[in-house]
Amino acid sequence: MKDIVRVGVVGSKFAADFHCDSYSRNPFARVVAIAAIDNLEPISKKWGIPDTYLDYHEMLARRDIDLVSVCVPNFLHREVVLAAAKAGKHVLCEKPLATEIEHGREMLDAVRKAGVKLFYGEDWVFSPSLRRVEAVLAEGAVGEVLYVKAKECHNGTHSPFAKNKQTCGGGSLMHLGIHPVGWVLHLLGQSGRNKVTEVTGFCNGGAADNFVHKDNTGEDFGLGVMKFAGGQRAFIEGNYITVGGMDDRVEIYGTQGVIKVDLTQGSNVDVYSRPGYSYWIEKADNAVGWTKPAVDEFYNLGYVDELHYAVECVRNDVQPMYGCSGQLGLACVEIIKAMYGSSERGETVRGTWG
Ligand SMILES: NC(=O)c1ccc[n+]([C@@H]2O[C@H](COP(=O)([O-])OP(=O)(O)OC[C@H]3O[C@@H](n4cnc5c(N)ncnc54)[C@H](O)[C@@H]3O)[C@@H](O)[C@H]2O)c1
């Protein structure tokens, strides 16, 4: 077993920050280097990272790095994962795995051939609230699950790359709806045995066809329905028209009960503020009046345990479970692309995904 997993991070902004935060909480992980095209000084100072690189290839050439965290815009995931695999590094890729299905397949092939592990970072799988839900379900508390409703929505992306359909791989359904898609696959997919057999999508068309974000070439409103071979259905939402802070919710309907989860706005702290204060939740416009400040947002969303899990897999040399695998990451991209096809053609698409 490895004592310490030495990590190199590619990217230096929003996602890189929560990766560094999560690794900093893990005594068995050390971020030894970071590579990006900007923001290197502030992030390396904040997290005490000794070495910085403007070219990630130079960082990958180091022999002492075990695991690479991929925190760059979606369209760059493929090239960084391929380069990391070629350099013999295990790699954890942020969502979505890729902007195109073919790229995702190529990435899975490359890591298999290189004999390195690929972790797909769906943080919902590691959210403490959703893991509690899994434990409650395992006891049979709501009987057989029939229907899951799940969404991630907010008021628009901060990243210019995510506004562009090509560099994002889609719009709000690809960028946000991918969380509930991935989590539902983890929950109901029985490690890839219970396949998705039907999907239907309803999306705005991007740009002028969007509700609000006319400067986004991807959609700002997306809905999808999935049907599993076992008969369960899931309704997925990912939109950029939700003001008032990031809104991640899950509802589960079973033969014997119901479960409801508020992942982002359900803090047990209530604040009423006349002048307002700096921050209560991601993507909120202000913190005036009544708010419920997140207590530990990164932990609650699952990032801390997700990266802890990847580090443990590297330390113990075990492959990731389905919920954190490239197989699941690829299935998410395939399903969302099928939802886009369905929305464009106005018909349900049948196939085998998972
Ligand atoms: N799991 C989640 O909830 C979650 C949340 C936010 C972002 N993400 C994902 O993380 C990824 C990054 O998102 P972000 O919000 O941090 O993006 P961002 O636009 O804020 O930052 C992009 C980063 O990529 C770096 N970069 C760009 N081109 C590069 C290159 N050629 N070589 C090296 N670095 C390069 C930039 O320096 C910057 O640090 C995206 O894929 C996004 O989908 C996931």
Side-chain angles (χ1 to χ4, degrees):
M1 184 197 270
K2 254 184 189 307
D3 281 349
I4 299 285
V5 171
R6 295 166 69 87
V7 181
V9 175
V10 189
S12 58
K13 289 197 180 154
F14 190 73
D17 187 59
F18 64 68
H19 278 235
C20 292
D21 171 83
S22 299
Y23 290 126
S24 76
R25 303 189 200 198
N26 185 343
F28 302 110
R30 190 162 307 140
V31 179
V32 295
I34 186 160
I37 55 170
D38 55 10
N39 205 42
L40 279 170
E41 203 192 324
I43 196 163
S44 57
K45 265 199 184 141
K46 180 176 177 185
W47 296 109
I49 304 168
D51 296 318
T52 61
Y53 297 86
L54 280 168
D55 180 347
Y56 70 84
H57 295 95
E58 283 178 28
M59 183 181 85
L60 294 178
R62 282 172 63 144
R63 298 188 64 184
D64 63 335
I65 290 175
D66 306 300
L67 175 65
V68 173
S69 259
V70 181
C71 303
V72 289
N74 305 355
F75 75 106
L76 293 171
H77 292 182
R78 169 180 171 265
E79 67 166 63
V80 181
V81 169
L82 294 183
K86 199 170 168 198
K89 314 294 185 202
H90 303 299
V91 55
L92 187 144
C93 185
E94 264 303 335
K95 58 83 191 168
L97 182 69
T99 51
E100 300 299 334
I101 295 168
E102 281 316 312
H103 295 174
R105 290 189 181 140
E106 192 186 350
M107 289 154 78
L108 261 61
D109 208 35
V111 293
R112 197 170 37 242
K113 284 186 182 141
V116 296
K117 302 180 211 311
L118 171 63
F119 304 94
Y120 170 65
E122 180 39 70
D123 50 280
W124 280 34
V125 168
F126 298 91
S127 145
S129 313
L130 294 177
R131 285 166 70 189
R132 180 77 180 105
V133 166
E134 283 187 64
V136 170
L137 286 172
E139 278 188 51
V142 305
E144 296 287 313
V145 174
L146 303 173
Y147 172 52
V148 179
K149 209 172 151 188
K151 68 174 183 179
E152 174 161 304
C153 300
H154 59 56
N155 62 358
T157 174
H158 61 272
S159 172
F161 303 103
K163 294 181 182 186
N164 177 307
K165 193 174 172 178
Q166 258 67 47
T167 51
C168 176
S172 57
L173 201 56
M174 182 62 88
H175 210 57
L176 305 186
I178 197 158
H179 288 292
V181 168
W183 182 70
V184 167
L185 281 174
H186 162 72
L187 185 78
L188 301 176
Q190 295 170 13
S191 298
R193 292 189 304 280
N194 187 23
K195 300 282 185 190
V196 173
T197 55
E198 275 181 23
V199 305
T200 312
F202 305 90
C203 302
N204 283 351
D209 193 52
N210 277 349
F211 278 139
V212 178
H213 299 273
K214 309 285 184 192
D215 60 334
N216 287 19
T217 52
E219 78 282 355
D220 68 354
F221 176 85
L223 306 175
V225 179
M226 299 153 68
K227 185 177 183 190
F228 285 83
Q232 307 91 340
R233 286 191 188 270
F235 177 79
I236 304 295
E237 226 182 311
N239 75 52
Y240 289 143
I241 62 163
T242 302
V243 295
M246 190 157 91
D247 197 13
D248 289 16
R249 286 172 205 258
V250 170
E251 293 174 14
I252 298 174
Y253 297 86
T255 51
Q256 304 281 338
V258 177
I259 299 177
K260 297 187 180 191
V261 186
D262 177 351
L263 268 177
T264 46
Q265 305 199 353
S267 169
N268 57 357
V269 180
D270 292 287
V271 173
Y272 182 81
S273 171
R274 280 179 162 172
Y277 59 105
S278 59
Y279 184 91
W280 71 280
I281 195 178
E282 186 182 336
K283 300 288 189 300
D285 301 322
N286 59 54
V288 175
W290 279 111
T291 52
K292 293 173 86 65
V295 175
D296 187 343
E297 214 170 11
F298 291 164
Y299 179 66
N300 291 332
L301 284 171
Y303 305 129
V304 175
D305 287 346
E306 169 197 305
L307 294 173
H308 197 100
Y309 174 80
V311 166
E312 283 308 291
C313 287
V314 172
R315 286 182 75 218
N316 294 292
D317 192 20
V318 295
Q319 286 294 335
M321 63 171 169
Y322 176 69
C324 190
S325 68
Q327 183 187 348
L328 181 124
L330 176 60
C332 290
V333 176
E334 288 174 334
I335 287 169
I336 290 169
K337 295 284 186 185
M339 286 172 179
Y340 288 150
S342 159
S343 179
E344 277 162 27
R345 295 195 297 277
E347 62 187 25
T348 293
V349 179
R350 290 182 178 78
T352 310
W353 301 279

